[in-house]
């Protein structure tokens, strides 16, 4: 069983979401599918497919204009939330500490955080990947407060049609698995994200310690998302 997460970012309409949910519902698979549309679409009825949010506030309630709390999401039936996505780290300046706080509030109401970590192109070129990824996990992932999912997303691979080599993905996933083991969190699922498509998904998901994928662009259309889901064995 693999975990396949679709991240719609700021795309789509309710009609498109309903259509996608219908097609996903008809897809024969043992894999767990989680679709994360924009906040305003989270109320769309979805019996078979779990819906997830793309972010959550670090606060429970109060004077935080524009933010949405974990409790509010839970009230809508949301079970998962992507937290610390590189676009939130980049545009909203989410640090590992903020990501940790957001994930903690999600866990406090029973939402499973999908916590993203990954290096920039400069960090990759200067051999800082291991350091950035291991400190990202140690500082962003709440230790043993409840089930979490970790996603390795090299920032330079997102929306770029390029991915690290299979060997590089495997070595970062091994490092994440080791780091989680040190935190007494062995068995935590580790996903890969960044330019996953119909051509590379099966190979990426066959790598050791890759428990699924986080898919952006290719999750917007059923023609590209469904083959990714069915390619995972
Ligand atoms: P991409 O995005 O698949 O379009 O590269 C992945 C992500 O941002 O989670």
């Amino acid at each position: 069983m693999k975990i396949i997460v679709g991240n719609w970012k700021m795309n789509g309409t309710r009609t498109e979401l309903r259509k996608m949910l219908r097609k996903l519902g008809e897809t024969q698979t043992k894999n767990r599918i989680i679709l994360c549309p924009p906040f305003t679409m989270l109320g769309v009825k979805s019996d078979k497919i779990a819906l997830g949010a793309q972010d959550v506030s670090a606060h429970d309630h109060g004077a935080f204009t524009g933010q949405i709390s974990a409790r509010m999401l839970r009230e809508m039936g949301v079970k998962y939330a992507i937290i610390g996505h590189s676009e939130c780290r980049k545009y909203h300046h989410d640090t590992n500490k903020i990501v940790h706080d957001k994930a903690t509030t999600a866990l406090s109401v029973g939402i499973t955080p999908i916590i993203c970590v990954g290096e920039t192109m400069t960090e990759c070129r200067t051999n800082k990947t291991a350091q950035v990824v291991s400190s990202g996990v140690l500082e962003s992932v709440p230790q043993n407060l409840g089930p979490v999912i970790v996603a390795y997303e090299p920032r330079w691979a997102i929306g770029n049609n390029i991915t690290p080599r299979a060997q590089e993905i495997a070595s970062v996933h091994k490092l994440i698995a080791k780091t989680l083991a040190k935190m007494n969190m062995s068995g935590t699922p580790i996903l890969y994200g960044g330019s996953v498509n119909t051509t590379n998904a099966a190979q990426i998901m066959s790598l050791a310690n890759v428990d699924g994928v986080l898919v952006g662009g290719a999750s917007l259309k059923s023609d590209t998302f469904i083959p990714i889901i069915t390619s995972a064995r």
Side-chain angles (χ1 to χ4, degrees):
M1 198 274 295
K2 299 286 185 188
I3 301 173
I4 323 271
V5 182
N7 174 13
W8 273 19
K9 310 193 180 189
M10 199 169 71
N11 294 295
T13 62
R14 291 167 81 88
T15 309
E16 282 163 351
L17 178 62
R18 283 194 197 98
K19 202 165 135 199
M20 176 65 89
L21 289 171
R22 197 176 57 245
K23 293 206 171 160
L24 292 175
E26 288 160 7
T27 304
Q28 292 295 321
T29 179
K30 288 201 177 78
N31 299 316
R32 194 192 316 168
I33 310 168
I34 304 165
L35 192 56
C36 302
F39 285 126
T40 54
M41 297 177 209
L42 288 171
V44 166
K45 194 167 161 341
S46 175
D47 297 330
K48 291 194 190 155
I49 308 298
L51 292 183
Q54 296 174 16
D55 196 8
V56 62
S57 174
H59 307 281
D60 183 67
H61 68 278
F64 300 102
T65 302
Q67 298 195 24
I68 297 187
S69 75
R71 207 175 293 283
M72 292 167 184
L73 293 171
R74 186 68 229 186
E75 198 179 42
M76 295 200 82
V78 168
K79 297 196 178 77
Y80 298 89
I82 297 173
I83 300 182
H85 188 276
S86 73
E87 285 146 20
C88 295
R89 290 179 184 263
K90 182 174 167 190
Y91 300 124
H92 304 157
H93 312 291
D94 278 8
T95 58
N96 286 337
K97 160 88 174 73
I98 294 172
V99 173
H100 184 280
D101 291 349
K102 289 182 169 187
T104 303
T105 59
L107 285 165
S108 74
V109 298
I111 291 178
T112 301
I114 302 166
I115 301 169
C116 304
V117 296
E119 78 287 1
T120 61
M121 181 52 103
T122 312
E123 288 162 346
C124 177
R125 288 209 177 115
T126 51
N127 295 321
K128 294 208 179 89
T129 300
Q131 185 204 316
V132 170
V133 169
S134 60
S135 60
V137 173
L138 286 167
E139 293 167 19
S140 307
V141 177
Q143 203 173 347
N144 294 314
L145 289 186
V148 307
I149 297 171
V150 172
Y152 168 52
E153 294 211 304
R155 296 197 198 188
W156 50 272
I158 295 176
N160 253 347
N161 239 348
I162 43 166
T163 62
R165 287 191 292 267
Q167 215 182 315
E168 290 164 338
I169 296 176
S171 108
V172 176
H173 277 244
K174 191 171 171 189
L175 170 70
I176 295 174
K178 271 193 186 166
T179 310
L180 288 164
K182 272 194 227 148
M183 298 167 76
N184 289 320
M185 295 178 76
S186 298
T188 297
I190 308 167
L191 315 183
Y192 168 80
S195 294
V196 172
N197 57 38
T198 48
T199 316
N200 60 25
Q203 193 211 3
I204 292 173
M205 283 190 274
S206 71
L207 299 170
N209 299 306
V210 177
D211 302 302
V213 284
L214 174 44
V215 187
S219 72
L220 290 170
K221 297 266 174 291
S222 53
D223 308 5
T224 44
F225 196 34
I226 291 173
I228 292 173
I229 294 163
T230 52
S231 72
R233 262 158 249 132

